[in-house]
Amino acid sequence: QAQVESVRLLSMGPFPEGHTMETPNMVSGTWECGGTGTALSIDPDPSADTAAVGQWDYDRNASVPQRVGLPTTLQCCTSRRALDPIPTTSDRPIWETSNLTWWDFQRRRWSTLWLMRTIYYRYKQCEIDAEAVPPGPQQDELWFEFNTLTGKEMREHAEQVKGLFIKAGQTMSTMVGVLPEVITQELMSLTDHLPVSTAEEVFRTIRKDLNSSPRDIFSTFDLEPVASASVAQVHRARLRSTGQVVAVKVQHEGVDKLLLEDCSTLSMVAGQVAYWAPDLDFRAVVEEASQWLPVELDFREERRALQRAGSVLRKAGNPCIVPRVHQRLFGPHVFVMEFIDAVPIVKLAEEGFCKQHGLDKLEIMKSLIDAFGIMAFKDGLFHGDPHAGNIRLLLDRDAPGGARPVIFDWGLFKEFADDERLGSAKVFYSLGNFDVAGVFDALTLLGFTFRPEILTDEFRRELMERARSVMKDTVNKETVRQNVHIDLQEHKERVKKALAQGKTVQASYSPLWFLEGLPNCILAFMRMLGILRGLCVCADAQGLPVLQIFVQHAREALQEGSLQPDLVSTLSLYCGREAAIAKLTEARCARSERAVHVQEAADIELSARIQGKLQALLQAKKIVGAQVAVVEGGRLVCDLVAGTLSTIDARLVQKGTRFPLLGATGGVAALALLHSLRRLAGTDGNPLGVRCVTDVLHIPISRVWPEFGGGGSALKLRDLLSHTAGLQDAFPMGFSAGHLDDVDAMASHLEQVGLKSVCEPRYAYLLQAFALAKLGDCIAGQDSLLHWLGAELGPLGLDIAGPCGCGDEASVCRDLLALARVSMTEIEAGRERRQVQRDEATLLRSSEDGPMTSSLLAAFGRDPLGFDPLQANTRHGGLFRGGMSLGVSARSLAALLANPALNEELSMLHALEPNGVDSTALGWFLTGGANHWTAGGLQSLQLRRCGAGAYFSGDTQAGHGIICGLGPCVVHFPNLGEGGLTVAVMVNDVLHGRAAASDLLSEALAGFGYKPAWASMPVRIMADAAWMARGSELEPLVKSMGGLQALRATVDLWTRTTSSDGAPPVSSSCGGCAAWALASAPSATEARTNLFSRALHVVGRWCATGCSRACSAGRSRHPRQW
């Protein structure tokens, strides 16, 4: 026994008979003598001389090992019984990577390349054989044989060469539905049953990293690993110091050289594949892998990721578990963490297992997706490889769904910088809101570089649709397989058609073909997302709203980031445009000093009244941010603000904050034109050629803009301003978002269209701003609408600026959570839309005499994204956006319309004379109900007295203003209050903008005893809305929303969420758009005030229902005709 204490044994583990060991490293432990049933106990002696230890030889007939070449022998403690047997051998293959030679690496590389070649040529031959037989069982059998053989060869190759090929196989195993099922099933074994390192290698690594003998650290240590992966394996052990059961993760010896060599091999493979099939170019993915490999091989980084992710999820209250790590036991190749005994997550696919344990798979998988949303967007660090081998389940009856997902193996993680984290959050938030401009702004901020030749509107729309299809609600594997097959067929047809036309094929099946530069952070995120969705398919968790879950966390992350001054001051996401901020700020301050030409004299009672309404709307979530300014007799009596800049920017609205004008830009530009005309008419030389100022609006447009309407048009300026020039039906064929910034192209289009005679008043949404911008250039020599408005109206009180000039302007909001649910119906509608788009393009190319123009309704139905108010938020490009993006504050807008000099000019020019009514439902919606036009392009308004019997009193007030159906408005009543009353309201939530602005405007006017008369929807407008929904022009839009039934369901949901008076929803028997019209009309609010309004509301519902039923019965006449 004394002799035993003076030596150290070479290794711990099985000592085969007749075996001689030679190794410099020694580990203490217990040895069982072969065939004797006794044990040899060895204690460590740190002072022992390693070099003095010779070779130990085990003889079949000897009862103890003999030390070769030395006279002393080692006696066995026969009186000591052996410990409880533990598995010391494994039926798994050994890792065997610690002593690879140069020839081994070359053999691995060339065997990989040979397998790739074999599979590729076999695939091509199978394609030829399959085309030679008709579709059916024989063809299916050919592909089944190919897939079976390919899957087996890939699995065997991964097990043989190990390294990154195991990781590749694990990723492919999660692509259920994308890859053939026989391949994914074959590769599934790579997530669990992998080769293992020997006990000798394991203990050698532990001693090296922890500088201590395993016997000093652990009282027990299971030699059979509980899990083995491509980089390391995990053993169950018990700490000697505390008795806690822990998991010990130990890196395979030599795996670092192996993985780095595999990167070089995969780079060669990627290059060869790109040469053979350019559509499958994944060289960027390999480059990204070579960058994160050094981090994955350092377990200190993995330990840090475990600590950080676990802390974040626990703080957020998410049920997912991240193992806790030991505070001292860690090194670059070893670390210790808590042991969690969990079951494979793919068990959720077994109905019997879920029923036995009472599990709700959807709730469990929702918790997992929720955890990744929290990590990615709120913290910036997330697990990069969530395949089935790394995600397991801990049964817990108290957890949501009956179990808690456990996230293991954090070797592959991604850490975002703040700009990457919040930029990715903006991408997902914009995807959820169908905000094309927001998506491309965020991608540009992240560093995406698009090929300019393909960056068209159709490309943007298609990319948006395909990105949303990737984020669709989870489906079963069969649906995934069909979806992939249809996408592939669509791609092949496009390539075939392009080749037939002699074009260079740019379209590709690869998701990266359109990029010149791709940020590495996006690659990691795309990889994580694809694996996570594949995991949901493996677990058969259908119907999970993946995008909706991510959108919620993205919105919260963006809100939190906007409240951090260091991020706001440094990130371009919050700072605004790429221009020099200091210069813009200086210009803004100079404008602000002269902007408001009114004295402030607050009306406390009126302010309290409006402030109460603002708070009520905030609590009801009817506004995001708002401003209300009231000017009475030249005094600013009320200037109130509420809310935030947007749903993703929690900075508070200030009195000087600018809000986008949206559709109100045309009215403001009309004021600038009138001011310019009045100024020119009073100059020497009479450049307008009029005898008196009152004739200015009667001069032909061609006198100012000779080429307008094809040249020689007889239309007058008042016809253009009062929307009777026919501009509403002059949209170019194929109008899309790209036209919003091209002022010259739109002006050239209006010069080619024959606009000769006066038409019925129809609101020329967007086109009015283009026409007035061109007139401003012709009259004042200002080729920029912004500069022209600033020069003409700035001295009158208007403080106007371009979009996002200094980063603290309000943004247009549309926070509709239902949009973040992506169904297969939407995906199929997108495919159909793309096909129709291609057919229309072919038809236009083949027809030289095709129509040049389309109506507003037809253009909107064909491509509603071109009219999306969120286009006003863009930070890149020409930034004209049809005038929607120009921003003003409510106080400056009120100061402008209250300016006595401006109102005197309007009277002098006879610009306030009534000049027609737009009686269409579309015009009513876009003008917020104020569809009576004046000769000068303003809206004619009327107020009624409040109170019982006021309807029959005849007490009214006439005024004028600018009202947009999306929210922004300013009104002026010269005979109200003391010296005239002007009210301006600015809101940024377009979903509730019209109703919120109407409520705020009504509240302000109620303080003076009046209410708006234009807010109630006439019956004829309801009837026209029902006819419009059934018309052919809106058919593409209605079909894209799933048909009238889906549209009606959306309207009912919107009605319930936006109704502020508790009115019952419209009956489902109503027609789709009639229900929409009734839902958005404020007549239900008025119905509470008097019996007459209530009766009108009931009659309106009855009429609209009759109109829609008649349309559905097939009547061809317009509802107003019967």
Side-chain angles (χ1 to χ4, degrees):
Q1 188 67 27
Q3 292 174 333
V4 169
E5 294 175 352
S6 64
V7 299
R8 297 164 66 194
L9 200 62
L10 298 181
S11 181
M12 182 178 183
F15 205 141
E17 295 181 355
H19 178 71
T20 300
M21 284 193 304
E22 298 182 14
T23 174
N25 296 323
M26 296 163 289
V27 181
S28 63
T30 301
W31 290 66
E32 181 179 353
C33 296
T36 64
T38 59
L40 174 65
S41 179
I42 305 298
D43 291 327
D45 181 9
S47 64
D49 184 6
T50 302
V53 181
Q55 299 178 356
W56 290 88
D57 183 54
Y58 192 93
D59 185 18
R60 177 188 299 269
N61 299 320
S63 59
V64 297
Q66 301 291 326
R67 194 175 187 185
V68 180
L70 295 177
T72 57
T73 60
L74 183 64
Q75 300 296 326
C76 178
C77 302
T78 57
S79 62
R80 186 172 181 179
R81 296 292 302 170
L83 300 178
D84 294 336
I86 59 176
T88 59
T89 59
S90 175
D91 57 351
R92 303 186 194 178
I94 303 301
W95 190 261
E96 296 177 348
T97 58
S98 58
N99 297 312
L100 293 179
T101 64
W102 176 87
W103 170 247
D104 294 326
F105 283 119
Q106 294 301 314
R107 185 174 56 187
R108 293 176 72 257
R109 169 176 294 184
W110 289 107
S111 65
T112 301
L113 295 174
W114 184 259
L115 176 64
M116 175 200 68
R117 175 193 176 280
T118 301
I119 294 176
Y120 176 77
Y121 282 108
R122 186 190 301 144
Y123 169 77
K124 287 296 184 181
Q125 185 61 46
C126 189
E127 259 191 341
I128 296 173
D129 295 343
E131 291 178 357
V133 298
Q138 189 176 357
Q139 191 177 92
D140 294 341
E141 182 65 24
L142 288 172
W143 285 113
F144 180 79
E145 292 178 0
F146 167 78
N147 294 328
T148 302
L149 181 58
T150 299
K152 181 180 178 182
E153 289 180 343
M154 293 173 67
R155 176 189 58 78
E156 292 176 346
H157 181 74
E159 290 177 343
Q160 178 184 358
V161 302
K162 309 174 185 66
L164 276 182
F165 301 98
I166 288 181
K167 281 191 172 296
Q170 291 171 341
T171 302
M172 294 170 69
S173 70
T174 65
M175 300 172 70
V176 179
V178 178
L179 294 177
E181 186 172 5
V182 64
I183 292 181
T184 57
Q185 288 294 331
E186 186 73 36
L187 298 177
M188 187 62 70
S189 63
L190 296 178
T191 63
D192 190 10
H193 303 288
L194 291 176
V196 299
S197 294
T198 64
E200 180 182 355
E201 294 171 342
V202 168
F203 285 115
R204 188 161 54 229
T205 303
I206 293 176
R207 176 179 292 278
K208 179 181 178 182
D209 266 31
L210 303 184
N211 296 319
S212 183
S213 167
R215 179 164 183 157
D216 292 341
I217 303 172
F218 309 109
S219 58
T220 62
F221 191 100
D222 291 352
L223 299 183
E224 177 72 15
V226 295
S228 179
S230 57
V231 175
Q233 63 190 46
V234 178
H235 293 262
R236 185 179 185 271
R238 186 182 297 274
L239 292 177
R240 184 175 293 277
S241 58
T242 64
Q244 178 189 2
V245 177
V246 294
V248 185
K249 185 170 182 178
V250 185
Q251 190 174 116
H252 301 303
E253 280 192 331
V255 74
D256 49 354
K257 296 179 181 178
L258 190 71
L259 294 181
L260 294 175
E261 180 69 21
D262 287 346
C263 275
S264 176
T265 302
L266 285 178
S267 180
M268 295 177 61
V269 172
Q272 187 62 49
V273 170
Y275 174 77
W276 281 340
D279 295 348
L280 300 176
D281 187 356
F282 59 93
R283 285 175 291 186
V285 179
V286 177
E287 183 180 352
E288 165 68 9
S290 64
Q291 294 181 8
W292 53 250
L293 263 180
V295 176
E296 184 176 7
L297 293 170
D298 188 349
F299 281 2
R300 292 168 297 188
E301 290 295 315
E302 179 176 353
R303 177 182 175 276
R304 180 179 65 85
L306 276 163
Q307 285 182 306
R308 179 170 160 182
S311 175
V312 168
L313 293 182
R314 287 189 289 269
K315 182 179 179 181
N318 186 273
C320 291
I321 299 174
V322 175
R324 297 176 184 267
V325 299
H326 197 279
Q327 296 302 315
R328 293 185 299 105
L329 300 176
F330 67 92
H333 307 100
V334 177
F335 74 95
V336 178
M337 56 188 163
E338 68 173 319
F339 183 84
I340 301 174
D341 191 10
V343 299
I345 196 170
V346 292
K347 285 271 187 185
L348 290 175
E350 302 176 11
E351 185 177 350
F353 178 81
C354 295
K355 188 174 182 180
Q356 176 186 355
H357 297 282
L359 303 182
D360 183 349
K361 67 174 70 177
L362 291 180
E363 194 66 30
I364 295 170
M365 296 304 295
K366 182 179 180 298
S367 299
L368 181 63
I369 297 173
D370 195 63
F372 276 84
I374 294 171
M375 292 186 290
F377 298 134
K378 294 185 177 180
D379 181 60
L381 184 147
F382 59 90
H383 196 292
D385 196 20
H387 60 74
N390 291 339
I391 311 293
R392 299 176 77 86
L393 286 180
L394 179 64
L395 301 179
D396 183 354
R397 293 183 179 276
D398 298 329
R404 303 176 66 183
V406 186
I407 309 176
F408 292 109
D409 193 357
W410 284 75
L412 179 55
F413 67 91
K414 183 62 183 179
E415 189 171 6
F416 280 170
D418 285 330
D419 58 339
E420 295 173 331
R421 173 175 65 88
L422 295 175
S424 300
K426 178 66 182 299
V427 170
F428 275 84
Y429 180 79
S430 300
L431 279 175
N433 278 278
F434 223 111
D435 180 7
V436 177
V439 167
F440 277 84
D441 279 344
L443 291 178
T444 304
L445 291 175
L446 285 172
F448 274 74
T449 306
F450 297 95
R451 296 177 180 173
E453 67 271 14
I454 56 91
L455 201 56
T456 62
D457 290 325
E458 179 57 26
F459 166 76
R460 288 185 173 94
R461 176 70 181 270
E462 183 173 345
L463 180 65
M464 183 75 170
E465 291 175 346
R466 291 189 182 278
R468 282 176 62 89
S469 70
V470 173
M471 298 298 298
K472 64 181 176 293
D473 297 355
T474 55
V475 295
N476 58 33
K477 60 181 69 176
E478 185 59 33
T479 304
V480 174
R481 187 174 293 109
Q482 292 175 359
N483 200 41
V484 171
H485 177 71
I486 293 174
D487 284 342
L488 182 58
Q489 290 300 118
E490 182 181 2
H491 161 70
K492 288 182 176 179
E493 290 177 4
R494 294 177 62 181
V495 171
K496 184 177 180 180
K497 184 178 294 186
L499 292 175
Q501 296 174 354
K503 294 183 177 181
T504 302
V505 181
Q506 295 176 343
S508 169
Y509 194 58
S510 167
L512 312 177
W513 67 276
F514 48 82
L515 294 172
E516 289 183 343
L518 177 68
N520 290 334
C521 65
I522 298 300
L523 275 176
F525 201 98
M526 291 166 57
R527 182 178 188 274
M528 176 272 289
L529 183 60
I531 298 175
L532 194 61
R533 288 189 61 87
L535 190 62
C536 293
V537 177
C538 289
D540 196 26
Q542 303 179 41
L544 283 173
V546 178
L547 181 57
Q548 191 177 72
I549 295 172
F550 277 12
V551 163
Q552 291 174 335
H553 294 297
R555 177 178 55 193
E556 294 171 5
L558 290 165
Q559 289 175 342
E560 294 170 2
S562 67
L563 297 178
Q564 301 180 32
D566 55 332
L567 296 181
V568 171
S569 60
T570 57
L571 298 185
S572 56
L573 181 68
Y574 298 113
C575 291
R577 294 173 58 184
E578 310 87 347
I581 295 177
K583 181 178 179 180
L584 290 172
T585 304
E586 181 181 353
R588 175 183 176 178
C589 293
R591 289 194 303 267
S592 299
E593 291 176 357
R594 66 181 188 189
V596 181
H597 297 272
V598 291
Q599 298 178 351
E600 296 191 22
D603 186 328
I604 298 177
E605 182 179 353
L606 179 63
S607 297
R609 184 186 188 112
I610 298 177
Q611 189 67 49
K613 175 58 72 172
L614 283 170
Q615 295 303 317
L617 291 173
L618 271 178
Q619 292 178 0
K621 297 183 179 180
K622 301 299 177 58
I623 58 174
V624 176
Q627 294 174 328
V628 181
V630 181
V631 176
E632 182 184 8
R635 296 175 297 111
L636 186 64
V637 298
C638 180
D639 189 10
L640 300 175
V641 299
T644 59
L645 297 182
S646 73
T647 50
I648 59 175
D649 192 335
R651 287 177 288 178
L652 298 178
V653 173
Q654 306 296 328
K655 292 182 179 180
T657 299
R658 299 185 188 87
F659 283 68
L661 278 170
L662 299 176
T665 303
V668 175
L671 291 176
L673 179 63
L674 294 172
H675 183 66
S676 298
L677 292 172
R678 171 66 185 87
R679 177 170 47 80
L680 290 176
T683 59
D684 295 335
N686 192 12
L688 295 178
V690 294
R691 287 177 295 180
C692 61
V693 175
T694 57
D695 295 334
V696 166
L697 293 181
H698 293 276
I699 65 175
I701 302 175
S702 58
R703 186 177 300 179
V704 180
W705 181 5
E707 299 84 5
F708 175 79
S713 174
L715 292 173
K716 300 179 175 58
L717 286 176
R718 66 176 292 153
D719 299 328
L720 177 66
L721 291 174
S722 60
H723 301 272
T724 58
L727 282 187
Q728 188 207 32
D729 296 326
F731 279 88
M733 288 297 295
F735 181 83
S736 59
H739 291 83
L740 295 176
D741 284 335
D742 201 341
V743 183
D744 293 336
M746 291 300 296
S748 176
H749 169 74
L750 293 178
E751 292 172 354
Q752 299 174 15
V753 177
L755 299 173
K756 304 296 183 182
S757 58
V758 178
C759 307
E760 289 187 19
R762 294 290 183 269
Y763 178 44
Y765 181 63
L766 293 185
L767 287 187
Q768 186 82 339
F770 286 105
L772 293 179
K774 178 62 177 179
L775 284 174
D777 184 18
C778 295
I779 292 176
Q782 294 279 3
D783 59 352
S784 167
L785 179 63
L786 173 62
H787 295 160
W788 179 47
L789 297 181
E792 295 291 342
L793 303 180
L796 299 179
L798 185 67
D799 178 23
I800 191 167
C804 309
C806 299
D808 57 353
E809 281 82 2
S811 299
V812 181
C813 307
R814 183 184 58 217
D815 197 12
L816 188 59
L817 200 59
L819 277 177
R821 296 293 300 266
V822 185
S823 65
M824 288 302 301
T825 303
E826 177 185 323
I827 296 172
E828 292 166 0
R831 291 196 187 102
E832 184 177 348
R833 185 202 65 81
R834 292 193 293 271
Q835 183 61 45
V836 171
Q837 197 87 353
R838 289 191 290 270
D839 294 343
E840 287 182 355
T842 303
L843 184 62
L844 288 175
R845 284 193 300 266
S846 61
S847 175
E848 297 181 357
D849 300 326
M852 293 180 57
T853 63
S854 65
S855 67
L856 169 62
L857 193 61
F860 178 73
R862 180 182 176 277
D863 187 7
L865 294 182
F867 300 86
D868 189 356
L870 297 185
Q871 295 281 353
N873 294 334
T874 186
R875 299 163 186 260
H876 304 280
L879 300 178
F880 182 75
R881 300 282 91 184
M884 293 189 295
S885 60
L886 302 183
V888 300
S889 62
R891 64 189 306 181
S892 74
L893 201 57
L896 170 67
L897 203 58
N899 191 293
L902 179 64
N903 283 284
E904 183 180 351
E905 289 180 353
L906 296 178
S907 300
M908 187 180 301
L909 295 172
H910 293 178
L912 301 180
E913 294 180 355
N915 203 53
V917 181
D918 186 348
S919 57
T920 63
L922 188 59
W924 192 94
F925 286 123
L926 293 174
T927 59
N931 53 355
H932 291 65
W933 293 100
T934 68
L938 301 180
Q939 286 147 284
S940 179
L941 308 172
Q942 192 175 53
L943 300 180
R944 294 198 306 260
R945 266 287 180 187
C946 298
Y951 190 86
F952 300 100
S953 67
D955 186 0
T956 61
Q957 289 284 342
H960 55 272
I962 303 168
I963 298 179
C964 172
L966 299 174
C969 63
V970 56
V971 298
H972 177 71
F973 296 93
N975 300 321
L976 197 61
E978 299 179 1
L981 182 73
T982 305
V983 182
V985 177
M986 298 298 291
V987 294
N988 57 351
D989 185 354
V990 295
L991 278 180
H992 314 101
R994 189 194 64 81
S998 178
D999 287 348
L1000 291 169
L1001 194 59
S1002 299
E1003 196 68 33
L1005 295 172
F1008 297 87
Y1010 288 87
K1011 63 180 180 180
W1014 65 85
S1016 300
M1017 180 184 291
V1019 173
R1020 68 175 182 274
I1021 298 297
M1022 301 179 191
D1024 188 70
W1027 170 83
M1028 181 177 66
R1030 303 284 179 176
S1032 60
E1033 291 180 310
L1034 274 186
E1035 184 179 357
L1037 176 63
V1038 174
K1039 288 181 66 176
S1040 69
M1041 299 179 69
L1044 282 177
Q1045 293 294 334
L1047 177 62
R1048 183 181 299 122
T1050 304
V1051 168
D1052 287 343
L1053 175 63
W1054 185 47
T1055 305
R1056 289 193 294 271
T1057 57
T1058 59
S1059 177
S1060 58
D1061 57 357
V1066 181
S1067 170
S1068 60
S1069 62
C1070 289
C1073 222
W1076 185 11
L1078 288 166
S1080 55
S1083 53
T1085 305
E1086 298 179 13
R1088 295 181 134 221
T1089 60
N1090 58 75
L1091 181 62
F1092 187 74
S1093 293
R1094 187 180 299 114
L1096 283 180
H1097 185 62
V1098 172
V1099 171
R1101 283 173 175 261
W1102 178 83
C1103 290
T1105 303
C1107 290
S1108 59
R1109 284 177 174 172
C1111 286
S1112 63
R1115 300 199 184 188
S1116 59
R1117 290 187 300 168
H1118 194 284
R1120 286 178 293 179
Q1121 299 175 356
W1122 42 268

